[in-house]
């Protein structure tokens, strides 16, 4: 790692954040879809769904938070694609900058932008009646899980952002990730699902992450869910990072 890595990454992060500040519609758009989904499920479908929880917004918020991240990382792939097509990477590579600092600036920008979107969604959920007796430690644990989840999905987004042939292809990869929470415990208990669907729902990463966050919000014992969630997030992050860096090296070589 170059001794200039941290300084170069900080400068390029500032560049990316200025782009976000000049077009806040990206964050607004990212937050609007999960908020609309939350409004629809709570006020249209909520009365017909039995979850064993007194408040449906309390039950579904963890899944909505994951959907917020999944929809937000599409912009990371889009911004990377535009920089690749615009020759920005080549320009920076011709300067005495750390080779990976450009990539890390995009990743950290995604983390900042998604964090803002998550805060907006939580504030709207509070207006809709979301309440949690969780203490500071539990909230920090939720934040840690969401940060790890965001980093894992962001490194996945880097791969199509670097390798896609079209702008649509760069961001379309996020659609399956947005759909995945619907096949989990995010909106209904998994024991209400048919056999094969239930098996998939109970053994895919979103369910353990949703369950861990939900237990933290409700001050329940998290059990093994939190370790399974961290294992999934950490494993996805490591694999995605390795593939993304390999793709990046091939692109700039």
């Amino acid at each position: 790692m170059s001794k200039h890595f941290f300084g170069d990454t900080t400068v390029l992060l500032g560049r990316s954040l200025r782009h976000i500040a000049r077009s806040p519609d990206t964050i607004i758009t990212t937050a609007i879809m999960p908020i609309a989904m939350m409004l629809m499920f709570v006020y249209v479908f909520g009365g017909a769904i039995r979850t064993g929880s007194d408040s449906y917004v309390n039950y579904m918020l963890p899944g909505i938070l994951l959907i917020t991240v999944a929809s937000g990382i599409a912009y990371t792939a889009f911004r990377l694609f535009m920089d690749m097509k615009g020759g920005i990477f080549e320009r920076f590579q011709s300067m005495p900058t750390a080779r990976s600092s450009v990539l890390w600036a995009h990743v950290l920008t995604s983390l900042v932008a998604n964090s803002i979107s998550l805060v907006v969604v939580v504030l709207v959920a509070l207006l809709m009646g979301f309440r949690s007796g969780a203490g500071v430690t539990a909230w920090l644990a939720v934040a840690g899980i969401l940060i790890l989840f965001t980093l894992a999905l962001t490194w996945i987004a880097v791969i199509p952002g670097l390798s896609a042939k079209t702008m649509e292809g760069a961001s379309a990869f996020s659609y399956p990730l947005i759909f995945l929470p619907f096949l989990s415990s995010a909106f209904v208990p998994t024991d209400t699902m048919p056999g094969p669907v239930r098996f998939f729902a109970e053994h895919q990463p979103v369910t353990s992450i949703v369950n861990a966050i939900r237990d933290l919000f409700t001050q329940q014992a998290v059990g093994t869910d939190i370790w399974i969630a961290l294992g999934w997030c950490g494993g996805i992050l490591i694999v995605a990072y390795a593939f993304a860096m390999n793709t990046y090296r091939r692109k700039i070589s």
Side-chain angles (χ1 to χ4, degrees), residues 113-217:
N114 278 291
S115 297
I116 295 171
S117 297
L118 288 169
V119 170
V120 171
V121 171
V122 170
L123 290 176
V124 173
L126 287 169
L127 293 175
M128 294 173 61
F130 169 72
R131 296 294 182 269
S132 172
V136 175
T137 303
W139 276 98
L140 289 175
V142 170
I145 293 172
L146 290 172
I147 287 171
L148 192 59
F149 181 74
T150 302
L151 286 173
L153 263 60
T154 298
W155 281 107
I156 293 176
V158 167
I159 301 170
L162 294 172
S163 58
K165 302 299 182 183
T166 65
M167 181 174 60
E168 293 77 13
S171 55
F173 83 98
S174 65
Y175 299 152
L177 298 177
I178 295 172
F179 181 72
L180 202 57
F182 292 95
L183 296 175
S184 73
S185 62
F187 298 103
V188 297
T190 56
D191 56 15
T192 64
M193 301 176 182
V197 178
R198 176 179 178 179
F199 179 84
F200 175 80
E202 291 178 346
H203 295 87
Q204 59 120 322
V206 169
T207 291
S208 57
I209 298 170
V210 164
N211 289 345
I213 293 175
R214 186 178 291 137
D215 287 342
L216 288 167
F217 277 152

Side-chain angles (χ1 to χ4, degrees), residues 30 69 82 147 158 161 177 182 240-241 250:
T30 298
V69 175
M82 295 304 292
I147 287 171
V158 167
L177 298 177
F182 292 95
Y241 175 79
R250 286 191 285 105

Side-chain angles (χ1 to χ4, degrees), residues 50-142:
R50 298 291 176 263
T51 62
S53 173
D54 293 335
S55 171
Y56 187 55
V57 68
N58 284 8
Y59 183 88
M60 71 175 301
L61 180 60
I64 291 294
L65 295 177
L66 300 193
I67 289 176
T68 303
V69 175
S71 60
I73 60 166
Y75 286 101
T76 301
F78 170 77
R79 287 190 293 267
L80 271 169
F81 175 82
M82 295 304 292
D83 274 0
M84 287 294 294
K85 292 300 179 184
I88 299 297
F89 279 78
E90 288 79 2
R91 294 179 195 175
F92 285 126
Q93 292 304 318
S94 67
M95 300 177 185
T97 58
R99 292 170 66 88
S100 60
S101 59
V102 184
L103 200 59
W104 272 101
H106 278 283
V107 170
L108 294 176
T109 299
S110 171
L111 186 60
V112 172
N114 278 291
S115 297
I116 295 171
S117 297
L118 288 169
V119 170
V120 171
V121 171
V122 170
L123 290 176
V124 173
L126 287 169
L127 293 175
M128 294 173 61
F130 169 72
R131 296 294 182 269
S132 172
V136 175
T137 303
W139 276 98
L140 289 175
V142 170

Side-chain angles (χ1 to χ4, degrees), residues 219-243:
Q219 300 175 287
Q220 302 295 316
V222 293
T224 59
D225 276 323
I226 191 167
W227 302 114
I228 296 172
L230 292 174
W232 272 113
C233 290
I236 294 170
L237 174 58
I238 292 169
V239 173
Y241 175 79
F243 274 97

